Amino acid sequence: MEEDGVIPKGDKLILRGLKFQGYHGVLPEEKTLGQKFVIDMDAWVDIRQPGKTDNLNDSISYVDLYNIVKEVVEGPGFELLASVAHLIATKTLQKFSRISTVRVKLMKPHVSVPGPVDCLGIEIFRFQKVDV
């Protein structure tokens, strides 16, 4: 959870259990039949000002973050989950410069493995680049 000595801390927006149908994976059936993906996202951003003003214009809408995830997961297919998660994080940081860090957890609940599992997936952290 650390990049170049930076540990995410402070306020964050939390999105849990977002479910979308996507066509990501290396197997032919994953690309043609698709499958369900479950995404959790955290976005670290200072929300003191909207806490004081109670004005959405001072904040970042959960709906905007949800729509980024939806657009990427339901969009063109990738072979690797890392590519899907990276694009979600990149688009989020590009659209919202006030977000310092984003965490994307991307899970596949229906996987073909030789044994019982709830899901398999990845979790990434990406940080806003700050010019020094």
Side-chain angles (χ1 to χ4, degrees), residues 110-125:
H110 307 290
V111 292
S112 296
V113 295
V117 300
D118 288 334
C119 67
L120 299 176
I122 63 165
E123 178 177 54
I124 67 166
F125 286 81

Side-chain angles (χ1 to χ4, degrees), residues 22-35 79 108:
Y23 296 87
H24 311 288
V26 295
L27 301 176
E29 57 271 16
E30 292 175 312
K31 296 175 190 233
T32 56
L33 299 175
Q35 61 191 303
E79 290 201 355
K108 293 167 64 169

Side-chain angles (χ1 to χ4, degrees), residues 55-103:
N55 187 334
L56 183 58
N57 292 327
D58 293 330
S59 189
I60 294 171
S61 170
Y62 299 109
V63 174
D64 289 339
L65 298 177
Y66 175 94
N67 286 335
I68 290 171
V69 175
K70 177 180 173 57
E71 173 188 312
V72 172
V73 176
E74 292 183 345
F78 289 94
E79 290 201 355
L80 302 179
L81 293 183
S83 298
V84 179
H86 180 76
L87 185 57
I88 291 168
T90 300
K91 284 180 170 268
T92 300
L93 293 171
Q94 286 173 345
K95 184 168 183 176
F96 301 105
S97 62
R98 292 177 27 221
I99 293 176
S100 64
T101 306
V102 65
R103 177 189 73 95

